[in-house]
Amino acid sequence: MITYQPELWQTADWRRGDRYYHCELKQNLFADWVVVRAWGTVGTKRGRMMESYCDSYIEAQETFQAVFNRRKYREYQLVSS
């Protein structure tokens, strides 16, 4: 049986100048944990997206926290969390 845990999902958005970075920790259709990252330039259609599949919630949370720390190091401003 597939069990979703939406109360554990997380989202964060950052900005620096005209650049944006978006990160989500969530479950996919099969209840596997996924960290989805998207980045690009505000106001254009240019940008990229990457999905990282994780074996457990703990691994996904560590990946999400690593992204969070990297954005802070790169001096992005947290817009929403």
Side-chain angles (χ1 to χ4, degrees):
M1 181 174 170
I2 295 177
T3 304
Y4 292 104
Q5 299 171 313
E7 66 276 1
L8 297 177
W9 297 6
Q10 299 176 22
T11 303
D13 294 300
W14 295 271
R15 290 251 173 117
R16 186 180 74 182
D18 64 344
R19 304 284 300 157
Y20 71 89
Y21 202 96
H22 174 80
C23 187
E24 291 182 65
L25 185 157
K26 61 183 181 177
Q27 291 173 292
N28 65 7
L29 183 63
F30 304 107
D32 297 326
W33 288 102
V34 181
V35 176
V36 179
R37 295 174 256 187
W39 61 92
T41 304
V42 175
T44 67
K45 293 183 180 182
R46 298 182 66 193
R48 294 191 180 220
M49 186 181 86
M50 181 171 62
E51 294 182 353
S52 301
Y53 294 91
C54 303
D55 293 328
S56 67
Y57 173 71
I58 301 298
E59 182 184 342
Q61 192 170 26
E62 289 171 356
T63 303
F64 186 85
Q65 189 61 44
V67 170
F68 202 94
N69 293 339
R70 185 70 173 177
R71 293 304 106 206
K72 185 176 178 181
Y73 174 77
R74 298 259 182 172
E75 298 180 355
Y76 276 71
Q77 299 297 316
L78 185 64
V79 176
S80 67
S81 177

